């Protein structure tokens, strides 16, 4: 909803010259109801001169009368000179001078990791021009040898939510066209929120790697050697073969 010029001064005038409720005035000028009450109590906007919205062609007297009669009536702005001829401007966003040198690196990152983005989407996201993007795509940029791909979010050129929204929009456009995405491309189209909500894959301890095929189950009868193999005691294990004594007697006789 459009707001009147000099909102605080307009609120001062409405408080001093009408019986409109604080909430109605707050909704009209874009201020909180308690701020309007502070104006009425003399605690807010001290020394501010009232600005007549009726005389300045921003509010009609009929609207004022309706608002005074009904506390539920919402004031409607008649005319806003500041908004006359002003439309939403389309074009690259403003980038501070301190960060403009980082834009080529961010463009290189977007071109490399998100080739599905169009030049217009990249230009709007980081605030650049299509010829610059094209030169980086074709690697004809004058400083291409010294450039490194850097995430534009890390550089502060855009928000992560903005990047996710553009990537999701590109994914929807590609799906509508019937294009088949590879696994790598599909992985890049996952937003940050979705990737953070994914469960981590369980990792196998390094001590038992390579033993995935072995199981601890099976037939206990087959694994217990006591049922099939005879028990060998120490005496039988070290028992010498018979006939050893005759050899010793022959050596004594000799």
């Amino acid at each position: 909803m459009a707001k009147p010029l000099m909102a605080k001064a307009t609120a001062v005038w409405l408080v001093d010259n009408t019986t409109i409720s604080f909430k109605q005035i707050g909704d009209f000028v874009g201020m909180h109801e308690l701020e309007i009450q502070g104006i009425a109590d003399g605690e807010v906007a001290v020394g501010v001169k009232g600005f007549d919205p009726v005389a300045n062609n921003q509010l009609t007297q009929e609207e004022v009368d309706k608002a005074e009669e009904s506390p539920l009536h919402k004031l409607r702005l008649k005319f806003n000179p500041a908004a006359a001829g002003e439309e939403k401007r389309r074009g690259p966003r403003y980038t501070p001078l301190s960060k403009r040198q980082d834009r080529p690196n961010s463009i290189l990152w977007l071109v490399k990791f998100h080739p599905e983005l169009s030049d217009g989407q990249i230009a709007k996201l980081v605030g650049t021009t299509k010829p610059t993007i094209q030169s980086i795509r074709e690697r004809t940029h004058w400083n291409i040898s010294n450039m490194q791909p850097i995430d534009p979010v890390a550089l502060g050129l855009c928000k992560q939510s903005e990047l996710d929204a553009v990537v999701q929009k590109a994914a929807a456009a590609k799906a509508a066209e019937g294009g088949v995405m590879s696994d790598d491309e599909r992985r890049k189209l996952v937003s940050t929120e979705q990737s953070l909500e994914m469960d981590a894959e369980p990792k196998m301890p390094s001590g038992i790697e390579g033993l995935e095929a072995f199981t601890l189950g099976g037939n206990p009868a087959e694994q217990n050697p006591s049922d099939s193999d005879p028990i060998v005691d120490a005496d039988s294990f070290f028992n010498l073969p018979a006939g050893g004594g005759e050899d010793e007697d022959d050596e004594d006789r000799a």
Side-chain angles (χ1 to χ4, degrees), residues 72-108:
L72 300 179
H73 180 75
K74 291 186 178 182
L75 293 170
R76 295 182 180 180
L77 185 66
K78 177 183 177 183
F79 177 69
N80 188 354
E86 291 289 335
E87 298 179 355
K88 186 177 180 181
R89 297 181 180 180
R90 299 180 179 272
R93 67 171 61 191
Y94 173 76
T95 304
L97 293 174
S98 59
K99 295 182 179 180
R100 291 184 183 181
Q101 60 183 359
D102 296 328
R103 281 189 303 190
N105 294 330
S106 65
I107 297 171
L108 182 61

Side-chain angles (χ1 to χ4, degrees), residues 14 18 56 58 81 118 175 228:
L14 291 173
T18 67
N56 289 279
Q58 296 188 93
S118 64
S228 58

Side-chain angles (χ1 to χ4, degrees), residues 121 168-179:
Q121 289 174 320
Q168 293 297 330
K169 186 176 180 180
K174 192 166 186 177
E177 294 175 358

